[in-house]
Amino acid sequence: MESAKNMSTDTKNSESPVGDLSEALKESTKDVHEQAENTEFMKNFQKGQVSLEEFKLVMSSLYFIYSALEEEIERNKENPCFAPVYFPTELHRKSSLEKDMLYFYGSKWRSVIHCPEAVKKYVERLHYVGQKEPQLLVAHAYTRYLGDLSGGQVLKKIAQKALQLPSTGEGLAFFTFDAVSSAMKFKQLYRSRMNSLDLDKASKEKVVEEARTAFLLNIKMFEQLQEITSQSQTAKKEETDVRKRVKHIANGQSHGAESNKNMSTVSSSPFLRYVLGFGFLLAVIALGLQAL
Ligand code: HEM
């Protein structure tokens, strides 16, 4: 298959001088990479502070993104502006994400998962690029796949531990690249293939700019996922508070009912009624004598 061909020869080409597309991409996306790492969502994730709800949300969002990305990649697989970086067996994630969706949401997952607004924007951009500016598609493939083969592998371990997912890999298919034996070597191959694309300086700059856009689309996604999960946590807290208040009021009423019951015990006891009545009479007489 084309994608796995000439792996050793290609690896040698990665020693190209600075100014290559791969170098330009790495250099020019450093700041946005740092920004992505430092989003609240990602910072919490790195600390192992990720709930099952948050993880499911990010995985379903990735499902929408990879479906669009890989649809556009398939459309352009023979286009010379993308063909050298076409590695479906090694990289494509849609079918892995389908397995993860089934694991987390069950057999009706397609009708259950929801596409947040920020993810819709990302998906729209991928379709636009794939159909109108295919020479920029490599920027999106680079941003996601090389990221998945780098920091993604750290995130896999964190998620497995935090969510106590099975060591057999269920729920983590997305992070598992069965056809890539060495992530480091594969990334070298990918970089050399990017460098082999026939792009002039201006086109290279456009690809770099598009990669920055891709990072920003990821950042927007993380920001929205953070918002969604914070909102649902606030809603859950409010629900718990309301439940507590209702319980408190109900307890108060039962205390009130208890004291009413005590009062009715008093009023229904003839002896107590007599004692209270007699006391009241004595008080009236005492007041009358005082007034004389
Ligand atoms: C907690 C979040 C993240 C961590 C810990 C992380 C970590 C890393 C690490 C350690 C590398 C390897 C650097 C190297 O080999 O020199 C890397 C590379 C990369 N990461 Fe991330 N990353 C994170 C988030 C992201 C995100 C959100 C994206 C984009 C969606 C991304 C895209 C990339 C790309 C494209 C590369 C390859 C850079 C290159 O060699 O040209 N990363 N990341």
Side-chain angles (χ1 to χ4, degrees):
M1 195 196 55
E2 162 63 13
S3 59
K5 229 171 50 183
N6 296 333
M7 192 177 284
S8 53
T9 339
D10 281 346
T11 308
K12 277 187 211 147
N13 294 341
S14 68
E15 291 160 10
S16 335
V18 179
D20 283 343
L21 179 61
S22 68
E23 292 291 335
L25 281 167
K26 188 166 184 164
E27 275 307 306
S28 312
T29 57
K30 255 188 190 148
D31 62 331
V32 275
H33 185 277
E34 206 177 306
Q35 223 178 299
E37 274 183 277
N38 285 312
T39 52
E40 203 181 336
F41 193 89
M42 274 296 139
K43 274 203 298 203
N44 290 342
F45 201 127
Q46 288 175 85
K47 284 188 253 167
Q49 291 165 0
V50 57
S51 67
L52 185 61
E53 184 204 0
E54 286 163 334
F55 191 67
K56 283 166 71 173
L57 203 57
V58 72
M59 297 310 274
S60 53
S61 296
L62 290 176
Y63 170 75
F64 291 109
I65 290 165
Y66 282 87
S67 296
L69 176 61
E70 287 165 15
E71 187 185 329
E72 296 309 328
I73 287 178
E74 286 303 319
R75 191 193 306 281
N76 289 289
K77 64 183 174 189
E78 278 160 11
N79 188 331
C81 74
F82 193 83
V85 290
Y86 179 62
F87 289 96
T89 312
E90 292 83 352
L91 297 179
H92 285 196
R93 302 286 88 203
K94 188 183 171 192
S95 61
S96 312
L97 282 161
E98 282 171 344
K99 284 185 201 149
D100 291 338
M101 291 298 95
L102 184 64
Y103 177 79
F104 288 116
Y105 291 95
S107 59
K108 296 211 170 71
W109 64 270
R110 279 180 204 278
S111 57
V112 176
I113 61 169
H114 160 78
C115 187
E117 215 38 56
V119 177
K120 277 187 194 150
K121 293 229 168 74
Y122 194 163
V123 164
E124 270 168 27
R125 182 69 192 167
L126 288 167
H127 287 310
Y128 172 81
V129 164
Q131 289 161 42
K132 306 275 188 227
E133 299 202 53
Q135 69 282 5
L136 303 182
L137 194 56
V138 61
H140 287 277
Y142 159 80
T143 303
R144 282 298 342 171
Y145 295 125
L146 257 59
D148 300 332
L149 286 170
S150 309
Q153 297 311 294
V154 181
L155 300 179
K156 176 185 183 179
K157 290 193 187 103
I158 295 173
Q160 188 156 23
K161 196 169 165 217
L163 304 172
Q164 300 190 324
L165 295 170
S167 55
T168 39
E170 284 100 329
L172 293 166
F174 169 73
F175 297 98
T176 313
F177 290 83
D178 286 330
V180 175
S181 50
S182 159
M184 198 186 73
K185 279 192 183 150
F186 187 84
K187 283 196 284 182
Q188 282 175 354
L189 166 66
Y190 198 89
R191 288 184 190 116
S192 70
R193 290 288 184 93
M194 287 197 296
N195 296 339
S196 78
L197 292 168
D198 188 15
L199 298 169
D200 58 22
K201 192 167 172 275
S203 313
K204 259 189 223 169
E205 279 168 10
K206 276 188 158 186
V207 172
V208 167
E209 204 39 52
E210 189 63 21
R212 291 181 60 79
T213 300
F215 270 90
L216 294 177
L217 287 165
N218 279 276
I219 291 167
K220 291 256 176 271
M221 167 178 75
F222 295 135
E223 285 171 353
Q224 196 183 2
L225 298 188
Q226 184 61 45
E227 229 173 79
I228 294 172
T229 51
S230 306
Q231 273 167 5
S232 99
Q233 273 158 10
T234 311
K236 268 187 199 149
K237 193 180 170 298
E238 272 169 13
E239 196 188 315
T240 316
D241 287 352
V242 169
R243 274 179 200 283
K244 272 188 196 157
R245 257 180 275 143
V246 168
K247 208 171 158 189
H248 185 73
I249 291 166
N251 281 345
Q253 274 173 351
S254 74
H255 284 153
E258 194 66 29
S259 47
N260 284 345
K261 209 171 111 197
N262 290 342
M263 284 307 288
S264 65
T265 313
V266 169
S267 55
S268 63
S269 156
F271 174 69
L272 279 176
R273 266 210 317 260
Y274 171 77
V275 170
L276 283 173
F278 188 66
F280 180 70
L281 188 67
L282 279 179
V284 171
I285 293 168
L287 282 171
L289 286 172
Q290 241 180 2
L292 281 176

